[in-house]
């Protein structure tokens, strides 16, 4: 069974986000970039499926700038077998990413695509669902548990009131939620090994997908901030203030 | 042209998030329909009472009863052409189906819309709410999920007609197996007036319950949790508040033993009053809390309960 794992290079989740003064976007210059945390979880799940003998090959793919090769090397250090960079300097919107991935899926014919539920830059939570639709295959989003038997994946999903389990016929798209697993750290020997694994680079145009933007961002602003309040002296002070000052009791 | 709102329900009851999404829809068009996919007749009837609707369309089938995106897509695709916009509350159900439907319609979806500027221009948080983008779509249609906490619920007193909607043929490649949802008997986290949340400091599931439940009972509050508390198994997954969990906007949010990571703060920024109880005076949560109580929750929560009792809460 062949697995495809799309991974995105994003601003590291620990870096403080600053909006550019001219309000055209978020400042990314010289800041630490990492693999989207949900994609790390997706890579980990793929590697576990391979370790359990379900998967035979894991292909990691990223659509992005030349630097996304680092992200792909990380995926290979975690256990992906090969990697593909679909190179572009444009920041593609989810519909365009989904179309590019659909073109790739047609070429690579994976049995399963495992990806993050959400990239933590745009917070779109969209590409997995869109890829599944374009591919005309089922989706199992927000996964917290994945079991494969034959050509069926049984997936437990995190939903509003708790958990739901569904069965989807492969090929399918699974999107990873936080509780699916705890991703491993790549060991030094595995980082060295990953340097020798194949990493292919293709220009985006070669996929022939329509990646024209549909959305225009006209402004990126700081949110209305909250100010720090006061420290109260104890529970009695707190309750009095909640009742009299804030009026919320 | 009209706007379609997908109802949010648990099969038996309509959630208030639906009426809030209707408010967003009415900013796009005066003609708003609600689609109830799955769910009992009572859900459709409750929807018809939302003020300002043109009609309610109710589709029923086994697959729809379980909220499978593929089944919802099959029900919605044939009628999508009637609408200039299709909106759903930004819940896990809404986020599951809207992008799928959008891709089918060749539309770029918008997730978690927090303001409707005009029929084609919206604002939405990005980077865990650390930035807000204003975005205009060039697509003929808008498909979006709406952050319910920022919109007032549309009024009641309507009497829109309820029409049957053909459920469509759901593909067999996705099947419901089981569901594990517990009704807590408490207010819904996303809609509660008061939320009490616990973090990693609680240390165990037993302690989480022993500390949070009496406080929630006394205040009639919903219970939330940080990711760390959920990951450690102290609280169920649907308690998670934050960037990738639930967004809450109660009048009062009490964070107990939660440090205040940006991913957590992303879910509570719109709370009217934030209270933090934390041993660390430098914890980031105090940077957003209106009232901070520095100290051990083990001593402070019992004191808080006693003081609340004194004022009749
Ligand atoms: C992709 C991604 C998405 C995420 N999404 C979310 C999300 O949606 N929601 C979320 O919450 N997090 C999310 N996180 C995790 C987030 O970064 C933090 O790790 C998490 O919020 C920390 O939880 P915590 O505050 O309970 O734990 P900690 O950060 O460990 O804080 C515990 C706090 O308890 C205090 N404390 C200890 N003992 C006591 C005591 N006896 N009495 C009082 N206080 C005490 C400590 O001083 C400390 O401040 C996400 C992370 C990533 C990478
Ligand atoms: N540029 C990209 N390259 C590879 N994968 C991507 C890219 N953008 C998004 N994805 C995948 O799609 C998932 C959801 O992203 P999004 O819908 O943008 O929140 C991510 O977790 C990735 O797995």
């Amino acid at each position: 069974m062949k697995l495809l794992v799309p991974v995105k290079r994003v601003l590291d989740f620990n870096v403080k986000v600053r909006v550019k003064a001219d309000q055209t976007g978020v400042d990314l210059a010289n800041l630490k970039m990492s693999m989207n945390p949900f994609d790390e979880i997706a890579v980990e799940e793929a590697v576990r499926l391979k370790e359990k003998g379900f998967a035979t090959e894991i292909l990691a793919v990223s659509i992005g700038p030349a630097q996304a090769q680092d992200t792909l090397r990380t995926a290979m250090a975690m256990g992906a077998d090969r990697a593909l960079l679909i190179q572009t300097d444009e920041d593609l919107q989810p519909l365009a990413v989904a179309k590019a991935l659909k073109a790739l899926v047609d070429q690579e014919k994976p049995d399963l695509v495992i990806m993050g539920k959400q990239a933590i830059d745009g917070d779109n939570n969209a590409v997995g669902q869109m890829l599944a639709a374009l591919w005309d295959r089922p989706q199992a989003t927000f996964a917290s548990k994945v079991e494969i038997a034959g050509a069926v994946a049984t997936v437990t999903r995190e939903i509003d009131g708790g958990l739901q389990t569904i069965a989807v016929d492969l090929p399918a798209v699974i999107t990873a939620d936080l509780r699916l697993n705890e991703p491993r750290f790549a060991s030094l020997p595995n980082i060295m090994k990953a340097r020798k694994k194949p990493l292919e680079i293709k220009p985006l145009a070669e996929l022939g997908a329509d990646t024209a933007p549909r959305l225009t961002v006209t402004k990126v602003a700081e949110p209305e901030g909250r100010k720090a309040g006061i420290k109260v002296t104890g529970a009695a002070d707190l309750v009095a203030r909640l009742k009299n000052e804030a009026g919320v009791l | 042209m009209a706007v379609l709102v997908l109802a949010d329900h648990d099969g038996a009851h309509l959630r208030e998030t639906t009426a809030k999404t209707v408010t967003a829809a009415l900013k796009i068009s005066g003609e708003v329909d609600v689609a109830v996919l799955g769910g009992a007749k009572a859900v459709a009837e409750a929807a018809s009472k939302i003020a300002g609707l043109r009609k309610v369309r109710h589709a029923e089938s086994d697959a729809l009863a379980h909220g499978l995106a593929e089944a919802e897509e099959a029900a919605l695709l044939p009628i999508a052409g009637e609408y200039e916009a299709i909106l759903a509350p930004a819940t896990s159900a809404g986020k599951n189906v809207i992008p799928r439907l959008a891709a089918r319609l060749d539309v770029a979806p918008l997730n978690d819309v927090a303001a409707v500027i005009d029929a084609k221009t919206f604002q939405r948080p990005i980077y865990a709410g650390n930035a807000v983008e204003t975005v205009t779509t060039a697509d003929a249609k808008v498909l979006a999920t709406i952050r319910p906490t920022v919109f007032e619920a549309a009024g009641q007193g309507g009497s829109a007609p309820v029409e049957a909607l053909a459920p469509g043929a759901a593909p067999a490649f996705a099947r419901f197996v089981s569901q594990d949802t517990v009704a807590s008997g408490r207010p819904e986290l996303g809609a509660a007036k008061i939320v009490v949340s616990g973090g990693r400091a609680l240390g165990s599931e037993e302690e989480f319950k022993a500390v949070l439940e009496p406080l929630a009972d006394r205040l009639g509050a919903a219970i939330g949790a940080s990711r760390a508390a959920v990951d450690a198994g102290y609280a169920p997954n649907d308690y998670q508040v934050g960037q990738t969990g639930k967004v809450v906007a109660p009048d009062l949010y009490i964070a107990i033993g939660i440090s205040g990571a940006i991913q957590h703060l992303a879910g509570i920024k719109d709370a009217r009053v934030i209270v933090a109880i934390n041993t660390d005076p430098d914890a980031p949560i105090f940077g957003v809390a209106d009232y901070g109580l520095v100290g051990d929750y083990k001593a402070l929560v019992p004191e808080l309960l006693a003081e609340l009792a004194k004022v009749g809460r």
Side-chain angles (χ1 to χ4, degrees), chain A residues 71-200:
Chain A
T71 314
L72 291 168
R73 290 281 173 212
T74 305
M76 289 192 288
M78 290 175 72
D81 299 295
R82 63 186 181 99
L84 175 61
L85 173 64
I86 306 291
Q87 195 169 341
T88 173
D89 286 328
E90 280 169 69
D91 186 15
L92 294 193
Q93 293 165 3
L95 179 63
V97 174
K99 286 185 177 181
L101 290 175
K102 165 64 168 61
L104 189 67
V105 153
D106 288 343
Q107 290 175 8
E108 295 284 344
K109 306 204 169 15
D111 301 285
L112 179 61
V113 177
I114 306 188
M115 56 205 291
K117 80 162 178 181
Q118 177 170 340
I120 61 163
D121 48 5
D123 284 336
N124 284 299
N125 192 335
V127 173
Q129 297 88 314
M130 288 198 286
L131 173 60
L134 297 174
W135 196 13
D136 208 0
R137 294 307 308 167
Q139 66 190 47
T141 54
F142 324 146
S144 67
K145 190 173 173 201
V146 173
E147 276 169 335
I148 309 272
V152 177
T154 302
V155 178
T156 302
R157 311 176 51 232
E158 297 203 357
I159 60 166
D160 293 321
L163 297 169
Q164 179 191 58
T165 303
I166 62 171
V168 291
D169 293 341
L170 302 181
V173 176
I174 294 177
T175 75
D177 214 321
L178 293 170
R179 255 92 38 200
L180 183 55
N181 59 51
E182 248 181 77
R184 70 195 64 191
F185 289 106
S187 67
L188 200 57
N190 284 341
I191 293 172
M192 302 305 286
K193 257 195 255 164
R195 290 198 189 147
K196 299 205 185 73
K197 290 184 179 176
L199 194 168
E200 193 190 343

Side-chain angles (χ1 to χ4, degrees), chain B:
Chain B
M1 240 162 111
V3 177
L4 184 67
V5 169
L6 306 190
D8 181 19
H9 63 84
D10 64 4
H13 311 96
L14 185 72
R15 294 203 180 93
E16 203 193 15
T17 47
T18 310
K20 293 182 169 191
T21 307
V22 166
T23 299
L26 286 166
K27 289 182 192 244
I28 298 175
S29 166
E31 291 180 315
V32 176
D33 296 350
V34 168
V36 176
L37 304 181
K41 282 236 150 41
V43 178
E45 277 156 18
S48 75
K49 300 205 171 70
I50 297 174
L53 298 185
R54 190 174 67 169
K55 64 182 174 195
V56 173
R57 311 179 80 163
H58 187 198
E60 287 173 286
S61 74
D62 277 354
L64 287 173
H66 297 116
L68 294 180
E70 295 80 358
E72 295 177 342
E73 174 201 325
L76 293 169
L77 261 186
I79 59 167
E82 300 171 35
Y83 297 98
E84 68 169 298
I86 302 178
L87 312 181
T91 58
S92 62
K95 291 176 183 186
N96 193 35
V97 67
I98 286 289
R100 184 171 181 104
L101 190 60
R104 284 281 193 214
L105 298 168
D106 196 25
V107 168
L110 295 160
N111 183 32
D112 219 4
V113 165
V116 178
I117 308 298
D118 62 43
K120 296 283 177 200
T121 308
F122 305 88
Q123 284 182 344
R124 52 180 299 271
I126 54 174
Y127 286 90
N130 287 295
V132 179
E133 69 175 15
T134 304
V135 55
T136 301
T137 177
D139 285 327
K141 241 188 242 313
V142 171
L143 267 87
T145 60
I146 302 292
R147 177 173 278 206
T149 51
V150 298
F151 293 92
E152 293 285 330
Q156 289 288 305
S159 56
V162 179
E163 282 178 10
L165 172 66
F173 56 35
R175 298 171 296 279
F176 172 78
V177 176
S178 64
Q179 192 131 321
D180 181 8
T181 48
V182 243
S184 65
R186 294 180 200 285
E188 203 124 356
L189 186 51
K193 293 266 175 275
I194 303 183
V195 174
V196 295
S197 272
R200 195 198 307 270
L202 276 302
S204 70
E205 187 185 353
E206 296 70 39
E207 179 75 351
F208 190 94
K209 285 193 177 142
V211 173
L212 275 287
E213 284 181 355
L215 191 56
D217 288 344
R218 191 164 284 282
L219 292 168
I223 300 181
S226 71
R227 175 193 171 180
V230 176
D231 282 5
Y234 309 162
N237 64 280
D238 57 316
Y239 281 31
Q240 182 179 309
V241 171
Q243 176 187 20
T244 55
K246 292 212 168 80
V247 173
V248 300
D251 290 340
L252 175 60
Y253 186 82
I254 306 183
I256 301 171
I258 293 179
S259 61
I262 52 168
Q263 294 84 7
H264 189 79
L265 301 184
I268 66 172
K269 274 185 180 146
D270 293 328
R272 195 148 80 73
V273 174
I274 297 176
V275 169
I277 299 178
N278 198 304
T279 41
D280 173 7
D282 298 322
I285 189 82
F286 288 124
V288 299
D290 300 278
Y291 300 109
L293 204 42
V294 179
D296 192 335
Y297 77 81
K298 288 191 181 111
L300 291 171
V301 172
E303 282 173 36
L304 183 56
L305 283 169
E307 291 300 330
L308 286 168
K310 280 189 206 164
V311 300
R313 287 298 297 243

